[in-house]
Amino acid sequence: MDESPREIEVLDENWTAVEVFLVCVPAVAGMGGVVGIATTEIAAAVRLLRVPRAEWPDVVRQVHFMGRCLAEFEAERKPAAGS
């Protein structure tokens, strides 16, 4: 599998959420499986990046969505137990 970095296009209206997502550390549970991004991580990131408060609700929703996508991706990558 090619693990080289890829370039992706990010729409301007999503850029803040992507920046916040990149600062956050994914939450793990159980046997180390990613379960998403904790709200406390997002709250710290929006403050660190000085995101205007009016944008917080949308950014939180977007980052939670990206965290769920990450969790699904990681679950698909991880071999099933007993495989």
Side-chain angles (χ1 to χ4, degrees):
M1 180 192 284
D2 181 20
E3 294 293 328
S4 60
R6 294 189 191 121
E7 190 173 305
I8 61 169
E9 181 179 356
V10 177
L11 300 176
D12 288 339
E13 60 265 22
N14 297 329
W15 186 246
T16 300
V18 171
E19 287 183 310
V20 170
F21 177 79
L22 292 173
V23 170
C24 293
V25 176
V28 295
M31 300 295 289
V34 173
V35 294
I37 306 293
T39 302
T40 53
E41 281 287 321
I42 300 169
V46 294
R47 287 183 179 95
L48 175 72
L49 296 172
R50 298 175 189 244
V51 175
R53 273 190 188 267
E55 295 178 27
W56 287 13
D58 287 334
V59 170
V60 169
R61 279 191 292 279
Q62 290 173 305
V63 175
H64 274 302
F65 176 75
M66 288 186 275
R68 286 192 307 273
C69 291
L70 174 63
E72 289 175 15
F73 174 77
E74 289 293 323
E76 290 173 5
R77 265 187 38 182
K78 203 172 203 175
S83 296

